[in-house]
Amino acid sequence: MDVKKSLFIFLAALAVVYGGYGLGRAVAGPKQGLDYAQYYMAGRMVVEGDGGALYESGPDYQRRAERYGVEGVVAEGERLDVMTNAYPPFVALLSAPLALVPYDVSRFVFLAASVAASALAALLLFAGRDRKTGGELRAAALAATFIFFPLHYSLYMGQMNSLLLVLLVAALQLGRRGRQVAAGLLLGAAAAIKLFPLVLAAFFALKRQYTLAATAAASAVILSLSAMPVTGADVYAEYFTAVLPSQLDGGAFYRNQGVPAVLSRLLTENDVVASLGHHPTLVTVLSAAAAVVALGAVFYFTKRNTDEGRSPYELEFSLVLAATIMVLSKSWEHYAVFLLPAYLFLYERFAYRGSGDGGTVLFLAALSYCVWSFVLTTGCEYRALPYHVLSNIPLSAKFTATLVLYLCVLYVVGRRDEGRYVRSWPLESPASEPGRYRR
């Protein structure tokens, strides 16, 4: 048995055991898909013609939840109320079909659909490769996806990230083939659910795929407004003036692993960890500077590679995602699902397209993946850390892992030897057609 086959067998076993445990916890864990209750409640309001109460809260909301058959959960000895809706009105419209059945049934349907979407995203990542290479890469992608803790956590919390991931991967592959309108529609749908995917429109614009970028922006606006007939304009005003501003800052909470959260834990007084004083203005300034530098570097190399006519297109796409997740003010651990394309495209670059170098880069990326997958996976582990300034180090381990991944991919994308991105699958584009991926 060769080494590669042995490795695949090991990864498959790990995915079955560790991934199976993660899926089991998503089904039966104490949080019971806590966040999904927001989707269901919002969808049920639309179904019952109460869209105007979408952002209702307090005792009235809890009584409505009881009437809908949605109960709060008991986690770590504490009873948690049903969370009030924090998502755009479009999500309520999207969730309405799932609200046509009882809550418990709906939650399991949503969980099953999320697992299927995660698998589909892993398979689509390497669409178009030749049969042998593509088969090996898709097997590795499936295993890596279901070993990845952020996916377990996303399913455990009842988050919609798997749907977003498959929309973004499909948009990437359609854009890769020049099907700009279809790709733009999918990217716009993702941005209408959670705003941050719209950053990718800038990536496609730099690739001179202007139709795709414009379609994404237009469809995001249209879909975002599509719920207005069933909710009314007042709900939109409430979302943009009250709900969205309150949701933009995740603070120092340990599950928040973006630049602003790391700086908040280190430079402002908080209940999570001891800090180096209280400097909220400095946190704001440094966070903004980090976002400009991180995204600016990505877009610089994206534009440069487009001009030269050779581009590691998929790696650049995944790098935009990694940079965005790194600089978001609210970057919960389940958002790291969107790091998977960067890990997997980087693996492909050195395992199937390189000439044997890059061992250090691949090792660092593997370390980053392992930190995200196996380190500090429960709240109890976080809370066991002492209230000391040095605890900032383990509390920010996953942010550090994201930073390492970002630097690894940026290094590969930024190298001048674009000729090393040899074509390993049968995709060609006419050199005369701007904005297309040429090798």
Side-chain angles (χ1 to χ4, degrees):
M1 184 180 297
D2 61 30
V3 174
K4 185 180 292 185
K5 186 174 181 180
S6 300
L7 179 60
F8 281 138
I9 291 173
F10 174 79
L11 287 175
L14 189 58
V16 170
V17 175
Y18 190 63
Y21 170 78
L23 291 178
R25 196 160 180 262
V27 173
K31 290 297 178 68
Q32 295 289 301
L34 181 66
D35 291 348
Y36 178 67
Q38 298 176 67
Y39 308 146
Y40 184 86
M41 290 286 293
R44 187 70 175 268
M45 289 179 188
V46 169
V47 169
E48 299 202 351
D50 291 330
L54 205 59
Y55 299 113
E56 183 180 53
S57 61
D60 290 341
Y61 183 80
Q62 298 304 318
R63 284 192 289 269
R64 185 188 294 270
E66 291 177 8
R67 190 166 73 250
Y68 291 167
V70 183
E71 298 181 356
V73 300
V74 177
E76 298 169 0
E78 180 183 0
R79 183 167 187 82
L80 304 175
D81 286 339
V82 178
M83 295 180 67
T84 54
N85 185 29
Y87 291 89
F90 171 66
V91 174
L93 198 63
L94 187 66
S95 303
L98 288 168
L100 296 173
V101 296
Y103 176 69
D104 288 338
V105 175
S106 180
R107 188 172 75 86
F108 283 107
V109 169
F110 177 78
L111 178 63
S114 296
V115 172
S118 302
L120 179 59
L123 296 174
L124 285 177
L125 276 173
F126 298 111
R129 275 59 168 178
D130 63 67
R131 184 174 180 179
K132 181 178 185 299
T133 299
E136 292 176 349
L137 286 170
R138 282 188 285 274
L142 280 171
T145 296
F146 287 102
I147 292 169
F148 204 44
F149 164 73
L151 174 65
H152 304 167
Y153 189 57
S154 181
L155 298 173
Y156 172 68
M157 292 300 296
Q159 277 285 325
M160 205 174 279
N161 294 325
S162 294
L163 171 61
L164 262 70
L165 182 62
V166 78
L167 288 173
L168 295 180
V169 171
L172 165 66
Q173 295 301 349
L174 288 170
R176 172 74 175 77
R177 288 159 177 76
R179 298 175 62 180
Q180 296 192 45
V181 173
L185 289 173
L186 294 179
L187 180 56
I193 297 170
K194 292 188 178 180
L195 298 178
F196 76 85
L198 203 56
V199 175
L200 291 162
F203 165 79
F204 288 112
L206 288 173
K207 290 299 178 188
R208 291 178 286 178
Q209 294 182 287
Y210 303 120
T211 299
L212 197 165
T215 302
S219 60
V221 172
I222 292 170
L223 289 173
S224 295
L225 296 175
S226 63
M228 191 172 290
V230 297
T231 65
D234 289 346
V235 165
Y236 280 81
E238 185 177 3
Y239 175 73
F240 285 107
T241 61
V243 178
L244 182 59
S246 70
Q247 291 296 314
L248 288 178
D249 184 14
F253 182 52
Y254 54 79
R255 292 289 191 187
N256 195 5
Q257 291 291 327
V259 171
V262 172
L263 293 174
S264 293
R265 287 191 288 267
L266 186 63
L267 297 175
T268 65
E269 295 176 359
N270 61 87
D271 296 331
V272 177
V273 64
S275 66
L276 300 174
H278 188 65
H279 311 285
T281 302
L282 182 60
V283 169
T284 300
V285 171
L286 291 178
S287 297
V292 170
V293 170
L295 288 169
V298 173
F299 290 138
Y300 167 76
F301 286 115
T302 296
K303 182 65 169 67
R304 188 200 69 168
N305 287 336
T306 299
D307 288 343
E308 293 181 1
R310 291 183 180 273
S311 169
Y313 188 97
E314 291 162 323
L315 265 176
E316 290 172 351
F317 178 94
S318 68
L319 183 58
V320 175
L321 271 178
T324 303
I325 298 307
M326 187 170 66
V327 302
L328 284 176
S329 60
K330 179 180 282 189
S331 188
W332 296 151
E333 288 181 338
H334 52 71
Y335 279 26
V337 164
F338 302 104
L339 300 179
L340 275 168
Y343 285 116
L344 291 166
F345 288 137
L346 195 63
Y347 166 71
E348 181 196 21
R349 163 66 178 87
F350 288 111
Y352 289 90
R353 301 193 207 174
S355 58
D357 67 337
T360 300
V361 172
L362 195 57
F363 176 73
L364 290 173
L367 281 180
S368 169
Y369 175 87
C370 288
V371 169
W372 266 112
S373 295
F374 306 118
V375 174
L376 294 170
T377 59
T378 68
C380 293
E381 291 175 306
Y382 279 112
R383 287 189 291 274
L385 295 171
Y387 190 82
H388 191 279
V389 69
L390 292 180
S391 294
N392 277 285
I393 297 172
L395 280 168
S396 300
K398 292 180 179 177
F399 162 76
T400 304
T402 304
L403 177 61
V404 167
L405 175 66
Y406 167 83
L407 293 174
C408 286
V409 182
L410 187 67
Y411 167 76
V412 174
V413 167
R415 294 177 68 178
R416 285 286 181 178
D417 56 346
E418 287 86 355
R420 298 174 67 82
Y421 294 95
V422 295
R423 183 169 60 87
S424 61
W425 65 93
L427 287 175
E428 289 284 2
S429 302
S432 60
E433 188 173 352
R436 294 288 298 274
Y437 185 30
R438 300 184 295 276
R439 290 190 181 275

